[in-house]
Amino acid sequence: MNLTFFDQFSSPSFLGIPLILISMTFPALLLPSLDNRWITNRLSTLQLWFINLVTKQLMMPLDKKGHKWALILTSLMIFLLLINLLGLLPYTFTPTTQLSMNLALAFPLWLATLLTGLRNQPSTSLAHLLPEGTPTPLIPALILIETTSLLIRPLALGVRLTANLTAGHLLIQLISTATTTLFSTMPLVSLLTFVVLFLLTILEVAVAMIQAYVFVLLLSLYLQENI
């Protein structure tokens, strides 16, 4: 039974070819392409409004130097948001439940923010490893602790996103299985579990949106520390 529950997180394949790349590129097909017309339709207007809102929220904690990252962070936010929401549809695969993919997104971007700080202001970046006014006997221990906390940041980003989405998908599958199993024997209990399933689905939609925002927001905060 446990194996069947976790089968939804295995990467699908067709004739031995992994389909995860197709599932990652499919959200881009949902975005309408912009044109040069003066009058746009409602969908394009809504898209531009949402992109402007996301960009404004992500760039708010950054100064002007960090605005160069607006395109990367906004694109990543929309990419994660669409993948998380599409993964809630029945018979779909969610690539962001794979820890390898999340680490592949988190590690290079975290490393880029770190290298940016070391290149532009090396003294300030290294000063984060040792708080001001630290007693001399505690200096080696604090440097080791701060270095460890710095190095586990990309791991925390990937694990947070993976764990939240995986737990939500498992809960939805468990409750939906209970709903269908109890329908023939205990209809009233099945109806109650269906209500719980409906509320949980709404919660998972919110979690999918929040986790995409938190992932990119933490990257922007890491960037702010290094510029």
Side-chain angles (χ1 to χ4, degrees):
M1 181 64 68
N2 293 332
L3 292 177
T4 58
F5 284 152
F6 285 94
D7 280 346
Q8 60 176 319
F9 303 117
S10 60
S11 178
S13 60
F14 179 72
L15 298 178
I17 302 174
L19 303 179
I20 186 172
L21 294 178
I22 298 178
S23 61
M24 290 173 58
T25 55
F26 182 74
L29 302 177
L30 300 178
L31 298 176
S33 58
L34 299 179
D35 50 29
N36 297 323
R37 294 183 300 174
W38 285 96
I39 302 177
T40 58
N41 54 25
R42 293 183 178 88
L43 185 59
S44 299
T45 304
L46 181 63
Q47 176 191 358
L48 290 176
W49 172 82
F50 180 73
I51 292 176
N52 290 333
L53 178 64
V54 170
T55 305
K56 181 179 179 181
Q57 292 295 325
L58 294 177
M59 294 297 107
M60 191 177 298
L62 300 178
D63 54 15
K64 291 185 178 180
K65 294 181 180 179
H67 291 177
K68 299 177 182 178
W69 290 63
L71 179 61
I72 297 176
L73 295 179
T74 304
S75 301
L76 179 62
M77 168 72 181
I78 297 175
F79 174 72
L80 291 176
L81 180 62
L82 290 176
I83 283 184
N84 293 347
L85 293 178
L86 289 175
L88 293 175
L89 297 176
Y91 303 104
T92 57
F93 173 71
T94 311
T96 45
T97 57
Q98 306 296 311
L99 182 61
S100 57
M101 173 186 166
N102 295 333
L103 290 179
L105 291 174
F107 183 77
L109 292 173
W110 166 82
L111 185 61
T113 60
L114 183 62
L115 294 178
T116 300
L118 292 176
R119 184 189 65 178
N120 296 335
Q121 44 183 13
S123 300
T124 306
S125 298
L126 294 176
H128 291 299
L129 301 179
L130 184 63
E132 186 177 359
T134 304
T136 304
L138 297 179
I139 289 179
L142 279 180
I143 291 178
L144 182 61
I145 293 174
E146 292 296 330
T147 303
T148 305
S149 64
L150 178 65
L151 295 178
I152 65 174
R153 281 181 175 180
L155 180 62
L157 283 176
V159 170
R160 181 187 297 109
L161 182 59
T162 303
N164 282 281
L165 295 180
T166 302
H169 283 66
L170 283 176
L171 282 175
I172 289 177
Q173 185 169 0
L174 285 170
I175 296 178
S176 61
T177 303
T179 302
T180 55
T181 304
L182 296 174
F183 182 75
S184 57
T185 57
M186 293 180 286
L188 182 59
V189 178
S190 177
L191 180 61
L192 292 178
T193 55
F194 177 77
V195 173
V196 174
L197 177 62
F198 178 75
L199 297 177
L200 180 62
T201 304
I202 297 177
L203 177 63
E204 284 305 312
V205 171
V207 168
M209 300 172 65
I210 292 172
Q211 289 303 317
Y213 176 70
V214 168
F215 188 92
V216 183
L217 180 63
L218 289 176
L219 282 175
S220 65
L221 294 178
Y222 298 159
L223 178 63
Q224 177 61 26
E225 292 181 359
N226 291 283
I227 53 176

